[in-house]
Amino acid sequence: MSIQILPVIMSGGSGTRLWPLSTPAAPKQFHAVATQKTMIQETALRLVGDNYLAPVAICGRGHLDLVTTQLAQIDKAPQAVILEPFGRNTAAVAAMAALSGQEFAPDALVLLVPADHVITKPGAFHAAVVGASETARERIVTFGITPSHPETGFGYIERGAKLSEGIFQIEKFWEKPNLETATKYVEGGRHDWNAGIFLFSPQVMLEELSLYAPEVLAACVDAYKKGARTPSEGGVIINLDEEAFAQVPSISVDYAVMENTSRSAVVPCDIGWADVGGFAELWRLGDKDERANHVKGEAILIDAHNNLVHSSGPVVAIIGLSDIMVISTPSGILVAPISRAQDVKKAAEEAKARLT
């Protein structure tokens, strides 16, 4: 029997560390940030082949047009779009993914993936997914990214006992560490970055939610059943019931399920993964000129080195500067050292406060 996989694309978040390129109205997954097409388009395009069914997308109500338009542009119209009235974290998303899987493809495995990640080795990713498919019929499988360096911006997964070739029990989840701890993790060889990608049978996820997060599951079932349904091109739009969804506790699937269940597994893999969580990562990933400048849009650079320029507005000119980022969009202009990339969120929050 061939493996059938239902991709469920999580398209949430506001991408504040990429402001003003990313905004609440159009977060980073709807931009060609580090890729030729938009990030959600690249995500959908890597989930194709005989094993993959048409995707389901989960997004906020305000992003429906962006999701449907951008997926239609690449001929990957979703068979369902589930609209959240507001964010309730990833346990709710996992519940909705399992419920949609139970409805639309009960015999398939659900592959729950973020819309805003970069994977430069899609063949390796597909091999990891297929290789984990038998385990995923009985366990919730997550994919751990083999670390290339001691990273303090990601959570880590510690491997436990070996279940089969390349698949391990999960010993423990670890929060974002300091540099010393991250270095120990990488040198020890038993820790992988937590990418938040999951493969599971709908029934297994629903059973584990019922055991460890019954309040999440009950409210999600209520919101899903009461949701208004509208036909769309090639599928249906499910607008979750707002009153019922408001009762869903806001908690991550890691906290709610993965840290408690005995039915989990991790597959360490090298898939060329990046989450593009800030402009420093975008500069690292991007193509560069002979002076290590990464430029997208119109720019003039004179005696400039190691800079990041993204411009969708007037021409940007940089003279005699190094190691800075200039982001120019209709929503705003950002100028800062690349080393301060993690502080962009503060500017985004201030900009939002001034507009409200």
Side-chain angles (χ1 to χ4, degrees):
M1 180 173 145
S2 63
I3 302 161
Q4 292 290 288
I5 296 169
L6 175 66
V8 178
I9 301 173
M10 299 183 276
S11 183
S14 57
T16 52
R17 288 184 175 85
L18 288 173
W19 180 89
L21 182 65
S22 174
T23 65
K28 66 177 180 176
Q29 63 266 31
F30 301 113
H31 299 273
V33 176
T35 51
Q36 293 299 311
K37 292 181 170 59
T38 69
M39 300 186 84
I40 192 171
Q41 288 175 331
E42 295 281 358
T43 298
L45 286 171
R46 75 175 66 103
L47 305 174
V48 296
D50 294 339
N51 299 111
Y52 294 97
L53 305 172
V56 170
I58 302 177
C59 66
R61 286 176 177 173
H63 297 154
L64 173 62
D65 288 345
L66 283 168
V67 167
T68 54
T69 299
Q70 292 197 2
L71 293 183
Q73 287 171 348
I74 57 169
D75 296 321
K76 291 292 291 180
Q79 60 176 301
V81 180
I82 300 172
L83 300 180
E84 295 183 327
F86 30 73
R88 275 296 183 264
N89 217 316
T90 55
V93 174
M96 294 303 172
L99 291 169
S100 64
Q102 189 179 59
E103 176 179 357
F104 298 111
D107 295 327
L109 297 172
V110 170
L111 179 63
L112 184 59
V113 296
D116 57 356
H117 289 179
V118 170
I119 292 177
T120 62
K121 301 176 183 178
F125 179 52
H126 175 69
V129 170
V130 172
S133 60
E134 285 304 315
T135 301
R137 298 190 189 281
E138 299 296 334
R139 292 174 177 265
I140 303 169
V141 176
T142 189
F143 296 86
I145 307 304
T146 305
S148 58
H149 60 277
E151 174 60 55
T152 60
F154 303 145
Y156 285 73
I157 302 170
E158 183 179 350
R159 300 174 213 162
K162 185 176 180 179
L163 293 168
S164 59
E165 188 61 34
I167 303 176
F168 300 83
Q169 291 182 350
I170 295 176
E171 182 68 24
K172 189 170 181 177
F173 287 84
W174 295 94
E175 295 296 326
K176 298 174 183 178
N178 58 31
L179 182 59
E180 180 182 1
T181 303
T183 301
K184 291 179 180 178
Y185 288 169
V186 174
E187 290 176 349
R190 292 179 58 86
H191 294 75
D192 302 288
W193 292 337
N194 185 358
I197 302 171
F198 301 93
L199 182 69
F200 53 84
S201 157
Q203 187 60 34
V204 170
M205 178 60 80
L206 293 173
E207 288 172 359
E208 298 309 279
L209 282 164
S210 70
L211 284 174
Y212 300 108
E215 300 89 352
V216 171
L217 180 59
C220 283
V221 168
D222 195 27
Y224 189 83
K225 287 182 175 179
K226 292 179 179 177
R229 292 180 174 234
T230 307
S232 66
E233 183 180 351
V236 63
I237 296 167
I238 304 172
N239 196 349
L240 298 176
D241 183 82
E242 186 168 341
E243 184 176 352
F245 197 65
Q247 303 307 309
V248 179
S250 181
I251 185 172
S252 74
V253 68
D254 284 352
Y255 281 132
V257 175
M258 297 301 289
E259 293 188 5
N260 299 301
T261 181
S262 60
R263 301 172 72 185
S264 64
V266 60
V267 176
C269 51
D270 177 9
I271 56 176
W273 175 88
D275 75 342
V276 196
F279 286 116
E281 182 76 352
L282 183 56
W283 177 84
R284 185 183 70 82
L285 291 170
D287 295 331
K288 302 176 184 67
D289 64 19
E290 65 279 3
R291 295 188 174 184
N293 298 297
H294 170 62
V295 178
K296 195 161 188 177
E298 292 295 322
I300 298 168
L301 292 92
I302 300 171
D303 192 24
H305 305 79
N306 303 321
N307 297 303
L308 168 70
V309 180
H310 261 244
S311 176
S312 56
V315 176
V316 170
I318 298 177
I319 302 173
L321 295 175
S322 300
D323 305 307
I324 68 165
M325 51 189 179
V326 180
I327 314 300
S328 176
T329 77
S331 301
I333 297 172
L334 170 72
V335 181
I338 293 176
S339 62
R340 298 291 298 274
Q342 290 301 312
D343 290 330
V344 172
K345 183 177 181 179
K346 298 176 183 177
E349 291 170 346
E350 177 66 21
K352 181 180 178 180
R354 294 189 182 192
L355 292 173
T356 56

